């Protein structure tokens, strides 16, 4: 089979590799119908995630069809269409029993494209199938559910729920990448009074308005704390969601939060950020951190099925699986290409293009 293989920092290729096979009785093998690329895959390629060993197939988000089920699998069978999520659950450890699947100590958690082969491939072995995959209703398209594999539950659980967004709140979302935009989308489920997006890139702020932000601040050219003070009568925001992962944006969140407010950190940080306890100690501020657990996936799937949530606008570019190398180039150059999520599809995606004009460049 073919797959996107990590060969060490800066090195990736679309290789022929051994077919995915059942290893444990609780495994299934899934034919990948749609997959996508995450900012975390770019971090891996930069060498930021040293546990990923050369030779690992990347990718942790997919929709696929079960082609083989291990003898101990009872709830999914050959032919079932399933969402394969970034988080796997053993179903047996203490954390899985508490719904904290991201912290699984029984061999699950974030394993795809990290500790085991991932999902940017023609086929994949999926461990703990009974407790890890989600059957997809026939009427939903791959693109309607694909982003449930990572960005939607991450933004909803680690941003909106940890931040305890309530009706009438003023919510600041710092960082308007896919995670920040998914935070805006899912925060709206709680009817906040106002959502303010903050980013350095005007193109991302324009997207934030499309996704439902009410006001935007470019913190590269504007004084963000002063603008927030203006917009909130000097009080600060009720909830600030950090969706970048650098010290500056965490510190900005702590600066713009009102007394009694909540800072929900979603960003993955590689460097220490300063916690200004000398100003925060008296302000009753709550700060949360977290890795996604995906315990909200069934409910988010319901919201999509009933038409209350439409994640399809995240799909800005489409490629065939065999074009995954080009898709990485486009996704990795988002400042130029305006890519949010690239969809990798096992089906031909360029039928509309006349023969001979099939270019490998981005199309939206
Ligand atoms: N906690 C979790 O479980 C979890 C899961 C997935 C992703 N993440 C993390 O969430 C973060 C966001 O992910 P993403 O895919 O949206 O990333 P992204 O890189 O696509 O988007 C980040 C956005 O932040 C903006 N930005 C960069 N520096 C900024 C600054 N100083 N001030 C304001 N804006 C700035 C960029 O212009 C961009 O629009 C990343 O750190 C990612 O690793 C966390
Ligand atoms: Zn991811
Ligand atoms: Zn577990």
């Amino acid at each position: 089979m073919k797959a996107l293989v990590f060969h060490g920092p800066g090195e990736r290729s679309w290789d022929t590799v051994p077919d995915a096979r059942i290893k444990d009785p609780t495994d299934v093998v899934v034919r990948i119908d749609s997959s996508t690329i995450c900012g975390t895959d770019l971090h891996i390629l930069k060498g930021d995630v040293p546990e990923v060993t050369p030779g690992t197939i990347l990718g942790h988000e997919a929709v696929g069809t079960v082609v083989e089920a291990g003898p101990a699998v009872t709830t999914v069978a050959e032919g079932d269409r399933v969402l394969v999520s970034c988080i796997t659950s053993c179903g047996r450890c203490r954390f899985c029993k508490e719904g904290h699947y991201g912290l699984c100590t029984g061999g699950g958690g974030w394993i795809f494209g990290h500790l085991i082969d991932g999902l940017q491939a023609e086929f994949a072995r999926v461990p703990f199938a009974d407790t890890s995959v989600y059957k997809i209703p026939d009427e939903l398209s791959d693109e309607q559910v694909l982003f449930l594999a990572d960005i939607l539950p991450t933004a909803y659980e680690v941003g909106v729920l940890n931040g305890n967004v309530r009706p009438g709140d003023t919510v600041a979302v710092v960082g308007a990448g896919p995670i920040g935009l998914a935070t805006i989308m899912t925060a709206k489920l709680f009817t906040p009074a106002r959502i303010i997006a903050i980013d350095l890139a005007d193109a991302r702020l324009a997207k934030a308005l499309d996704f439902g932000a009410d006001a935007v601040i470019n913190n590269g050219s504007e004084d963000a704390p002063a603008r927030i003070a203006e917009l909130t009568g000097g009080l600060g925001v009720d909830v600030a969601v950090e969706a970048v992962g650098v010290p500056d944006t965490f510190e900005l969140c702590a600066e713009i939060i009102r007394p009694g407010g909540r800072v929900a950190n979603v960003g993955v940080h590689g460097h220490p950020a300063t916690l200004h306890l000398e100003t925060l100690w008296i302000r009753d501020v709550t700060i949360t951190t977290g890795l996604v657990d995906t315990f909200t996936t069934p409910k988010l799937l319901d919201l999509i099925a009933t038409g209350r949530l439409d994640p399809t606008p995240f799909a800005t570019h489409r490629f065939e699986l065999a074009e995954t190398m080009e898709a990485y180039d486009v996704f990795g150059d988002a400042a130029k290409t305006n890519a949010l999520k690239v969809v990798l599809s096992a089906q031909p995606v360029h039928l509309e293009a006349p023969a001979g004009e099939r270019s490998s460049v981005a199309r939206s």
Side-chain angles (χ1 to χ4, degrees):
M1 67 174 200
K2 291 284 196 179
L4 194 286
V5 181
F6 172 71
H7 291 291
E11 305 286 332
R12 58 172 153 87
S13 51
W14 182 249
D15 293 349
T16 302
V17 297
D19 286 345
R21 287 215 170 83
I22 302 276
K23 201 171 121 206
D24 295 314
T26 47
D27 292 347
V28 295
V29 171
V30 163
R31 182 191 72 223
I32 303 297
D33 298 323
S34 297
S35 186
T36 181
I37 306 173
C38 177
T40 305
D41 298 322
L42 302 181
H43 277 296
I44 295 170
L45 279 162
K46 275 194 224 141
D48 292 347
V49 192
E51 312 85 79
V52 182
T53 52
T56 304
I57 298 171
L58 294 185
H60 51 262
E61 303 161 81
V63 170
T65 305
V66 175
V67 292
E68 195 186 345
V73 176
T74 58
T75 59
V76 283
E78 202 183 316
D80 283 346
R81 204 166 142 248
V82 292
L83 170 75
V84 189
S85 164
C86 62
I87 300 294
T88 298
S89 160
C90 81
R92 298 174 173 197
C93 75
R94 173 222 161 134
F95 292 111
C96 284
K97 286 179 174 167
E98 292 176 348
H100 285 301
Y101 313 123
L103 300 179
C104 176
T105 55
W110 173 38
I111 56 173
F112 288 119
H114 179 207
L115 306 178
I116 68 168
D117 280 333
L119 309 175
Q120 290 157 7
E122 290 177 321
F123 295 88
R125 177 178 80 89
V126 177
F128 306 117
D130 279 328
T131 42
S132 299
V133 304
Y134 305 82
K135 278 196 224 178
I136 301 172
D138 287 344
E139 60 277 15
L140 295 184
S141 70
D142 286 12
E143 280 186 23
Q144 279 178 290
V145 291
L146 181 58
F147 308 125
L148 278 180
D150 186 345
I151 59 169
L152 280 168
T154 295
Y156 185 56
E157 294 173 16
V158 191
V160 175
L161 295 183
N162 278 0
N164 194 17
V165 174
R166 310 306 306 158
D169 277 352
T170 294
V171 179
V173 178
V174 182
I179 295 283
L181 296 171
T183 303
I184 293 170
M185 181 178 270
T186 52
K188 288 177 80 71
L189 294 167
F190 291 94
T191 333
R194 193 164 35 187
I195 300 176
I196 306 164
I198 304 176
D199 201 292
L200 295 172
D202 286 330
R204 285 285 167 91
L205 292 173
K207 287 280 184 193
L209 291 171
D210 291 345
F211 276 75
D214 303 283
V216 295
I217 300 172
N218 184 320
N219 59 324
S221 55
E222 297 172 85
D223 180 345
R227 282 286 317 280
I228 291 285
E230 247 170 64
L231 289 165
T232 59
L235 207 55
V237 298
D238 298 283
V239 181
V241 177
E242 199 286 337
V244 184
V246 299
D248 275 358
T249 46
F250 175 77
E251 290 164 31
L252 177 61
C253 287
E255 198 177 338
I256 62 177
I257 200 71
R258 72 155 165 81
R262 286 92 62 196
V263 173
N265 181 83
V266 189
V268 172
H269 289 262
H271 299 282
T274 304
L275 182 64
H276 286 286
L277 273 179
E278 75 281 11
T279 52
L280 287 171
W281 73 271
I282 200 170
R283 292 165 61 83
D284 295 15
V285 166
T286 302
I287 298 174
T288 58
T289 68
L291 169 72
V292 62
D293 287 313
T294 67
F295 72 94
T296 62
T297 302
K299 284 202 171 169
L300 291 168
L301 187 58
D302 253 6
L303 285 166
I304 294 169
T306 54
R308 297 203 187 259
L309 205 60
D310 175 18
T312 55
F314 282 107
T316 54
H317 298 75
R318 294 172 184 81
F319 295 88
E320 289 171 21
L321 260 182
E323 297 171 323
T324 300
M325 289 293 283
E326 290 98 302
Y328 263 89
D329 294 337
V330 167
F331 182 71
D333 199 9
K336 273 209 198 107
T337 61
N338 270 334
L340 287 179
K341 291 296 273 182
V342 298
V343 178
L344 308 168
S345 175
Q347 298 293 322
V349 291
H350 313 310
L351 293 174
E352 73 283 6
E357 280 185 35
R358 291 183 27 141
S359 82
S360 60
V361 292
R363 22 209 155 230
S364 22

